[in-house]
Amino acid sequence: MIKIWSMKKNEEAAAKRKPKTSAAQIRVQKDLTELDLPSTMQTNFPDPADLLNFTLTITPDEGMYKGGAFKFSFAINTNYPHDPPKVKCAQTIYHPNVDLEGNVCLNILREDWKPVLNLNSVMVGLQYLFLEPNADDPLNKEAALEMSKNRDQFLQNVKMSMRGGNIKGVQYDSVLVR
Amino acid sequence: MASQPNGTSTDWPGRYYHIDQVLNTPGPRTDPAFLAGDGVKTFLRNQAKILVIGAGGLGCEILANLALTGFKDIHVIDMDTIDISNLNRQFLFRQKDVGQPKATVAAEFIMKRVPGVKVTPYFGKIQDKDDDYYLQFNLIICGLDSVEARRWMNATLVNLVDPENPESLKPMIDGGTEGFKGQARVILPTITSCYECSLDMLNKPTAFPICTIANTPRLPEHCIEWASVLEWPRVHGDKKMDTDDPDHIGWLYKIAAARAAEFKIEGVTWSLTQGVVKNIIPAIASTNAIIAAACCNEAFKIATSSAAYLNNYFMLIGTDGIYSYTFEHEKRDDCPVCGGEALEMTISSEMTIEQLIETLVEKQDIQIKKPSLSTPTKQIYLQAPPQLEKATRPNLEKKVSELVPPGGEVTVTATTLPFSLSLRISYST
């Protein structure tokens, strides 16, 4: 057998024994404690001992979704950051890039995810969807079509949906900030 | 062949004639510690204990190679059972074995075919085994197909390294193949770069934008993803999709085929559906053979010191002709598994968490600002977000000794640290 131990450079190197904390767990701790969120975004941990499952509430202070509070669930698996966090909208909302099941069309949550991105990037990306909805990448086709064809009607629909209104037979959740 | 050191009845004359050419005399590149002749042969054939992880495409090749080069005490772990689609390349299995555990069948086949070799199978997960289990081996070879299993094995072996016990450092040889591409590497935990160090080199699995899947499908894969990513959760709610369940694949295939018909897309088949949802990349037998050979060559060199071993990354690209490249992948200082700093701290058993944090902040040599602390099982104090800060604030007044056992580990993260710092706490009183 090769003598590996003698390759250890010095005592200091030998002392570098790492804890049993998983890489995913350390990374999530680092991501969360270094979040730099504006006042329009807030995290909530149903179980503060569980850092892997939490919600994010976005309350845009400008744009067409101003006045609403939008809730997203985050679920992080043990293969983070190789795998992106799983993010879903917890409410039924009227938005071109969010479907009625809560799926979100945000490139960094799927095809463009890289381990160098972090939870902060995902959260900022989500908030951006409310400031600049993107009709070119629709998940809610009706909403996207309305947005590009008839912007006034779209704005009205957004307002109505946020109050818990019904648009074309779909009942939306009331998301107004009380 | 009177020089044969271990005269068991199975070692007929000339059995290891070719291998002994390498082991009988030192060469220009052999390690000074190389014990030419009986010394090295006894170690290889009577003492070395090697663990093979995975008994699939690579595993079958690895087991055969090891047995034939003279390793006699081989253990193998695999959690899978044999599928009919394995038989074209996993040559230790026959049609009658379909449904049986891979590890068990592979072990029996090798033992029947190569006399004197003991192969001990374990049908289960690598995660079932504890540190003591892994400590019994001299070497570990991985022929795995998942990133997750490799990360677990790598982290386990890095964590196993105990400064007080040289035997705790287990070389890991990792092989991997994907179609015509492959890699073989030697990882000496805590010394060379580890698997986690190179995580950003991985090709990411092909993912399609969810909006394309939802609105403008153009490929059969788009239709299959539509069925699995959007329709499955919509129709089945929280029920988990099992990609090994033929009924589930059948359902996805039916939905995807209907979608394909609607958009006039051709090419949705049962096997493509299975391939897409299980992320199957066709396995090539010859790629497995090359990579397994490279891995076993390294195992042999490391076990015998008969030649310089790979430092530390060999890649093979066989997509256009044959290209290979060997380089030293560097260790990353900010690697979450093998990088970062470790500090031994001896503190008073009366010291509070708040005092510990102050001590860390004041330490000139580490330059920490706003550290967050946790143990492997719980959070001690998190600086943010506000809710978690508030939830962990009561711990500030507690004694460190109430939360961390003697010799226990504390993980510290902070913006000023590249990744994390681990503290090993012992108490002076």
Side-chain angles (χ1 to χ4, degrees), chain B residues 15-173:
Chain B
R15 176 171 190 180
Y16 294 115
Y17 175 78
H18 295 94
I19 284 179
D20 287 347
Q21 304 300 305
V22 180
L23 298 182
N24 281 336
T25 42
R29 300 258 290 155
T30 45
D31 193 275
F34 177 58
L35 298 164
D38 289 354
V40 66
K41 289 186 218 167
T42 306
F43 178 77
L44 177 67
R45 291 164 200 165
N46 294 346
Q47 290 166 7
K49 201 168 180 182
I50 188 164
L51 174 65
V52 178
I53 299 180
L58 274 172
C60 284
E61 300 268 1
I62 290 171
L63 285 167
N65 292 348
L66 292 178
L68 294 170
T69 41
F71 285 93
K72 294 240 173 111
D73 190 357
I74 305 172
H75 288 235
V76 57
I77 301 190
D78 197 299
M79 60 182 280
D80 274 343
T81 53
I82 298 161
D83 186 80
I84 189 144
S85 66
N86 302 146
L87 302 182
N88 72 328
R89 62 189 185 286
Q90 299 178 20
F91 52 79
L92 302 177
F93 313 139
R94 297 290 176 267
Q95 195 152 1
K96 66 171 170 42
D97 302 320
V98 169
Q100 298 295 312
K102 288 186 176 178
T104 321
V105 176
E108 278 163 16
F109 193 104
I110 294 283
M111 286 195 284
K112 204 169 114 200
R113 199 57 185 269
V114 192
V117 174
K118 193 175 143 218
V119 186
T120 313
Y122 174 71
F123 170 43
K125 294 180 163 191
I126 49 174
Q127 288 87 347
D128 297 345
K129 298 294 190 181
D130 60 8
D131 287 0
D132 285 340
Y133 175 80
Y134 292 108
L135 273 169
Q136 65 178 309
F137 301 103
N138 298 100
L139 259 174
I140 289 151
I141 301 198
C142 298
L144 287 162
D145 60 357
S146 92
V147 173
E148 216 167 340
R150 280 194 182 84
R151 285 181 76 187
W152 188 89
M153 202 59 246
N154 175 65
T156 300
L157 293 179
V158 172
N159 286 328
L160 209 57
V161 179
D162 175 352
E164 265 101 65
N165 176 15
E167 293 296 307
S168 64
L169 207 155
K170 307 292 179 192
M172 165 170 161
I173 299 165

Side-chain angles (χ1 to χ4, degrees), chain A residues 103-106 110-111 139, chain B residues 208-214 229-230:
Chain A
N103 295 303
V104 184
C105 185
L106 181 63
R110 256 180 93 79
E111 70 274 14
L139 259 191
Chain B
F208 302 105
I210 201 160
C211 3
T212 305
I213 298 169
V229 178
L230 295 172

